[in-house]
Amino acid sequence: MIHRYHSDQKAHPPHVFGIAETALCNLTRRLDKINQSIIVSGESGSGKTWNARCLLKYLTMVAVCNPGGFTPSPADCIERRILDSNPILEAFGNASTTRNHNSSRFGKYIQLQFSRGNHVVGASIQTYLLEKTRVVYQCDGARNFHIFYQMLFGGNEREMRNWLLPNVLSSDNLNYVKLNRSEDACNQKDKQDFIVTKQAMCNVGLSRSQQQELFKVLSGILHLGNIEFISDDVTGPCEIDSEKQGVDTSVNAAAQLLGLDVDALTRCLAFRQITASHKRRKSVFMKPCLKDECHTRRDCLAKLLYARVFDWLVGFINGCTMARSWQSYIGLLDVYGFESFSFNSLEQLCINYANEKLQQHFVHNFLKAEQDDCQSEGIPWKFEDFTDNKTCLDVIEGNISIFALMTQQCKLNRHSDPSSFCEFIYDTISSASLSRSHMSVTSPAFVVHHYAEKVTYQVDGLIEKNKDGIPAELVDLLKISSKKFVQQLVDANVTSLQSPSKTKGKKTTSTVVSKFKNSLDSLMATLHETTPHYIRCIKPSLECQPDSFDNVHVINQLRACGVLETIEISATGFPTRMLYSDFLKRYELLIRSNSEDVKDLDTKSKCAVITNLVLAEADKENKMKSFLFGKTKIFLREGQLDKLEVARLKEFNLSAGVIQIWWRKILATKSKQEAAVVIIQAGFRGWKVREDVKRRHEAARVIQYAMMLSH
């Protein structure tokens, strides 16, 4: 199928391979914006990750080159490493939710890098907002990241002993993961997936020792989840709950796996460091933490370690796949889908905010820009009404918005009452895209009217998650680990992990939403610099079961994301627009044979001659004109650019044929001339020899005559 779409995509039904081929053709033609982006979007569980995987396989297979005839070719090695990054990222970044068994809990933008000859030479991956809280908490019906289950069900006896998890499957004391040993099919899949993950790690260059160090850190995270504290008084100091079964074992195991001292680990979790400054004096003392604070610090350490492991893996993969030099790229964007659960918090707010930004990019780039461009160029156009989500984005990210109020609360650095903050949102923000929660919702919450549907967000824990503060003593503890791998995890960008930070003497608050917004703005800037292609994944039903199709749910998705308007615009629109100068520069060779007739025409008239020459015959069969002329641009319908490219290629082939004919004539003439030169040279040499022989004979006769006279 890949080869069929690569040879002639127009002859086959619409497919993700067709989108990939279109992007590759645009990259090859180098028209307008050379770099391309393919944006895969849709609800959670609609198939975005699978489609991104298909796109990656298609592009790496068709855009390869092996001029040296090596086995395996360099391109095959690059392709293998790029494709092997997928199972690794899915193992460490995907998890099972109530709506999707393989839900991406992070966003990724894969940049396939191409050489000047349009061959894949490398790739780089940029990730966004890993859902770290899933490491320490999962709602009912959801699971932790896949890698934990792959380790637990796929590790052999020797590996389990090395990870200090010998009897984990016979015990229920594993707080960070929910084990369901009754689902044998799922457990077998985890076991098989672990084999694939480890093989992929080897293929990208991770040695066995590096893999084991990485798995030991993950095992240490699991043991951290089993550490619990007890206090005799509600406000009194805490200590390890040694009486509870397995707690002491987990403390020792976590310390051993992470290369930490047991006493230093427990002290760091049970006491927080307070620094007091008075003029030039600086005092540091340790204050005992409450029971909840101890558990929060434990979870913070686990989330920090997992996030750094994930970032380290992405950096390692980039180091193996990124090209030293490249000319252009095709970006594949696979982000988490729109989500709405019974309990929605900061993670869902950021995820849905990212989907709102992508929807705005689609509306402005395809729908609004299409109409505005036609209007400015004077092209007759029937204007369509489409839903603009600007008001919703203003509620989330504007000057007076939910993000702004959350940041303000974080700057105060004090406990925030959920009910008070919820009322503060209602009193401050007045918008049709924000409303109060239903009476059935007992906890403080607010409702945001997204493009897809209304989502209720619970306020409880929202500010604390946004702070994402990492105590400095936790980072300092990991920096003195006896494990070099653990030290590497915290040495890289350690300053960016600590919040708040200081810049030029001023205290600035770095929050989760501010960092996510900055990275998302950077992504949107990248998308605006490329030619976008869209793939909308539609979820057939909410059951996630085969042969289940919900008409109402599908239509709601099509209407919400603007697909219906897109179909209508595409039927009457002009997907290809080119400036007259660019059009003439590329296709002027089609009228060179009639250069005497058109040399006095202006640029627009020459473009008209070209289009009439190539497209007029096909245009007679259409009721609507297949191309129109604006003030500065020419507008072409679907498929017209391909016909021009075919005509251009034919002209190139004809020119190449003429060049070949004349070159063969030159070679033949040269060959005849060389033969004639050889004949001339042979005749000259013969004449010269004969002349020399004549002189010799004449000289001999003279000598003989003289000798006869002397006698």
Side-chain angles (χ1 to χ4, degrees):
M1 182 179 285
I2 289 178
H3 296 292
R4 290 208 306 267
Y5 275 89
H6 185 51
S7 59
D8 185 10
Q9 70 172 86
K10 297 294 181 183
H12 303 287
H15 197 275
V16 289
F17 292 164
I19 300 293
E21 181 62 26
T22 300
L24 188 60
C25 288
N26 287 358
L27 183 90
T28 306
R29 292 166 182 165
R30 302 191 177 277
L31 297 174
D32 195 14
K33 298 175 181 177
I34 299 175
N35 298 323
Q36 312 289 309
S37 285
I38 302 177
I39 302 169
V40 187
S41 59
E43 283 192 7
S44 177
S46 58
K48 297 181 300 300
T49 300
W50 177 262
N51 279 281
R53 198 184 302 167
C54 293
L55 290 168
L56 197 63
K57 185 168 184 62
Y58 181 91
L59 292 170
T60 52
M61 283 191 67
V62 301
V64 295
C65 180
N66 186 20
F70 298 103
T71 305
S73 70
D76 289 337
C77 296
I78 295 171
E79 175 194 350
R80 187 71 265 155
R81 289 196 171 189
I82 293 173
L83 294 178
D84 280 327
S85 66
N86 252 338
I88 299 173
L89 292 177
E90 288 187 18
F92 284 82
N94 289 23
S96 177
T97 66
T98 55
R99 289 191 173 188
N100 184 6
H101 299 310
N102 188 34
S103 176
S104 297
R105 308 318 299 165
F106 72 106
K108 63 176 179 288
Y109 185 69
I110 303 175
Q111 192 181 73
L112 284 177
Q113 299 157 345
F114 289 77
S115 64
R116 186 178 294 275
N118 302 315
H119 303 299
V120 175
V121 292
S124 66
I125 302 170
Q126 187 175 356
T127 60
Y128 303 91
L129 190 68
L130 176 71
E131 189 185 13
K132 298 182 293 185
T133 53
R134 183 167 292 271
V135 176
V136 300
Y137 170 77
Q138 309 96 42
C139 63
D140 293 337
R143 301 204 314 173
N144 210 322
F145 291 103
H146 292 326
I147 188 62
F148 290 114
Y149 301 92
Q150 291 179 12
M151 288 174 56
L152 295 174
F153 291 102
N156 55 43
E157 293 184 7
R158 180 180 177 182
E159 288 175 329
M160 299 295 278
R161 284 196 300 269
N162 290 336
W163 304 334
L164 304 181
L165 293 170
N167 301 314
V168 68
L169 295 181
S170 61
S171 172
D172 293 325
N173 296 327
L174 211 54
N175 297 332
Y176 278 170
V177 294
K178 298 177 180 179
L179 295 174
N180 190 352
R181 287 175 289 276
S182 61
E183 297 183 1
D184 187 60
C186 185
N187 300 339
Q188 286 296 323
K189 185 179 185 304
D190 290 324
K191 185 176 181 179
Q192 295 170 2
D193 288 345
F194 191 51
I195 298 173
V196 175
T197 301
K198 289 198 296 184
Q199 184 59 50
M201 287 180 169
C202 293
N203 293 343
V204 299
L206 272 169
S207 64
R208 297 289 184 184
S209 60
Q210 286 176 313
Q211 293 180 38
Q212 289 304 311
E213 289 298 319
L214 190 148
F215 292 136
K216 285 181 180 179
V217 172
L218 297 180
S219 179
I221 292 173
L222 293 179
H223 281 294
L224 281 175
N226 286 352
I227 300 177
E228 297 189 13
F229 295 85
I230 192 172
S231 175
D232 295 333
D233 189 6
V234 177
T235 60
C238 296
E239 60 182 12
I240 298 294
D241 189 2
S242 301
E243 296 182 359
K244 191 169 184 178
Q245 183 181 2
V247 173
D248 281 340
T249 303
S250 290
V251 173
N252 294 325
Q256 181 179 342
L257 291 166
L258 299 176
L260 305 174
D261 179 71
V262 176
D263 294 335
L265 175 61
T266 55
R267 185 170 59 254
C268 190
L269 296 178
F271 292 86
R272 61 188 178 98
Q273 180 178 301
I274 297 178
T275 303
S277 301
H278 179 68
K279 294 183 179 180
R280 295 185 178 180
R281 292 187 300 171
K282 188 176 182 180
S283 302
V284 178
F285 58 95
M286 305 300 290
K287 180 181 178 181
C289 296
L290 302 179
K291 181 179 178 180
D292 289 342
E293 291 177 333
C294 293
H295 290 154
T296 300
R297 292 169 71 86
R298 174 203 65 191
D299 293 344
C300 182
L301 181 60
K303 291 187 291 184
L304 169 63
L305 281 168
Y306 193 83
R308 293 309 298 156
V309 165
F310 186 79
D311 291 342
W312 183 87
L313 264 177
V314 173
F316 185 90
I317 293 172
N318 283 339
C320 296
T321 59
M322 190 178 297
R324 294 183 179 179
S325 62
W326 45 275
Q327 186 70 20
S328 54
Y329 68 85
I330 296 178
L332 307 179
L333 180 61
D334 174 22
V335 296
Y336 10 57
F338 188 88
E339 293 185 346
S340 178
F341 301 120
S342 58
F343 183 89
N344 301 290
S345 189
L346 182 65
E347 295 80 17
Q348 283 68 45
L349 181 60
C350 290
I351 287 171
N352 295 340
Y353 163 62
N355 281 271
E356 287 285 354
K357 293 287 283 187
L358 291 175
Q359 177 66 12
Q360 186 191 48
H361 180 270
F362 171 73
V363 168
H364 281 262
N365 187 78
F366 187 81
L367 303 178
K368 190 173 185 301
E370 184 99 2
Q371 296 186 164
D372 291 347
D373 200 15
C374 289
Q375 186 178 21
S376 64
E377 290 288 326
I379 299 296
W381 182 265
K382 179 186 175 183
F383 287 89
E384 301 288 342
D385 292 330
F386 53 84
T387 304
D388 194 345
N389 62 341
K390 186 177 183 303
T391 56
C392 179
L393 283 171
D394 289 340
V395 167
I396 300 175
E397 65 167 0
N399 293 330
I400 301 176
S401 61
I402 296 172
F403 281 179
L405 298 182
M406 289 171 62
T407 302
Q408 180 181 340
Q409 289 294 315
C410 291
K411 287 181 179 179
L412 296 176
N413 199 22
R414 63 188 181 193
H415 178 70
S416 176
D417 179 61
S419 299
S420 301
F421 181 65
C422 191
E423 290 300 323
F424 183 46
I425 291 177
Y426 293 140
D427 296 339
T428 308
I429 304 174
S430 177
S431 174
S433 296
L434 180 71
S435 62
R436 293 181 178 271
S437 59
H438 194 267
M439 295 178 60
S440 59
V441 181
T442 56
S443 59
F446 57 88
V447 179
V448 177
H449 299 207
H450 292 285
Y451 73 92
E453 61 177 290
K454 298 177 182 179
V455 180
T456 302
Y457 297 98
Q458 278 70 22
V459 180
D460 189 20
L462 202 65
I463 303 300
E464 287 70 23
K465 288 182 179 180
N466 188 37
K467 290 178 182 178
D468 197 31
I470 299 174
E473 52 267 32
L474 292 182
V475 178
D476 294 337
L477 175 68
L478 296 177
K479 289 172 69 176
I480 60 173
S481 168
S482 60
K483 304 278 189 180
K484 290 185 178 180
F485 181 70
V486 176
Q487 293 179 11
Q488 291 177 7
L489 295 179
V490 293
D491 282 346
N493 301 323
V494 69
T495 54
S496 65
L497 296 174
Q498 300 181 28
S499 179
S501 59
K502 291 185 178 181
T503 306
K504 295 184 179 179
K506 294 183 179 180
K507 190 175 182 179
T508 59
T509 304
S510 177
T511 61
V512 171
V513 295
S514 65
K515 289 185 286 188
F516 181 65
K517 186 178 182 302
N518 290 336
S519 62
L520 192 59
D521 288 342
S522 174
L523 172 64
M524 299 310 296
T526 301
L527 295 180
H528 282 298
E529 293 173 356
T530 62
T531 300
H533 307 267
Y534 300 96
I535 294 178
R536 288 286 189 181
C537 298
I538 303 300
K539 192 173 183 179
S541 67
L542 295 173
E543 285 76 18
C544 292
Q545 295 294 331
D547 301 325
S548 176
F549 191 86
D550 186 346
N551 292 339
V552 176
H553 183 62
V554 171
I555 292 174
N556 288 338
Q557 292 177 80
L558 295 174
R559 183 177 292 110
C561 62
V563 172
L564 299 181
E565 295 94 334
T566 304
I567 294 172
E568 190 163 353
I569 289 176
S570 297
T572 59
F574 302 88
T576 304
R577 300 109 187 270
M578 295 178 67
L579 292 171
Y580 292 132
S581 56
D582 294 339
F583 184 86
L584 189 61
K585 180 180 178 181
R586 186 167 183 83
Y587 301 111
E588 189 176 13
L589 78 164
L590 298 177
I591 55 173
R592 282 179 183 170
S593 58
N594 302 320
S595 57
E596 292 294 330
D597 300 332
V598 299
K599 66 178 182 179
D600 296 329
L601 298 178
D602 59 10
T603 303
K604 182 176 179 180
S605 300
K606 289 181 180 179
C607 293
V609 172
I610 295 172
T611 51
N612 287 324
L613 186 66
V614 179
L615 307 175
E617 189 65 30
D619 201 40
K620 293 178 181 178
E621 303 174 1
N622 300 325
K623 295 180 180 180
M624 297 181 296
K625 197 157 184 68
S626 60
F627 54 89
L628 293 175
F629 296 96
K631 296 176 181 178
T632 61
K633 297 179 181 178
I634 180 172
F635 289 70
L636 302 173
R637 292 193 187 276
E638 183 72 27
Q640 299 300 313
L641 186 65
D642 293 331
K643 291 183 179 180
L644 286 166
E645 285 294 319
V646 170
R648 182 173 178 265
L649 183 60
K650 287 181 179 178
E651 193 65 30
F652 271 132
N653 291 337
L654 289 174
S655 300
V658 172
I659 293 172
Q660 288 173 347
I661 290 171
W662 281 98
W663 180 245
R664 291 193 192 101
K665 183 177 179 180
I666 291 172
L667 291 178
T669 303
K670 187 177 180 181
S671 178
K672 291 179 180 178
Q673 289 174 345
E674 289 177 350
V677 167
V678 171
I679 294 172
I680 293 171
Q681 288 176 342
F684 177 77
R685 284 194 295 267
W687 173 81
K688 193 174 181 180
V689 170
R690 286 192 297 272
E691 289 297 314
D692 186 57
V693 170
K694 285 180 181 180
R695 287 196 301 269
R696 290 175 183 273
H697 288 174
E698 187 66 29
R701 284 194 295 269
V702 171
I703 294 172
Q704 289 175 350
Y705 181 72
M707 290 180 66
M708 290 173 61
L709 292 176
S710 64
H711 290 294

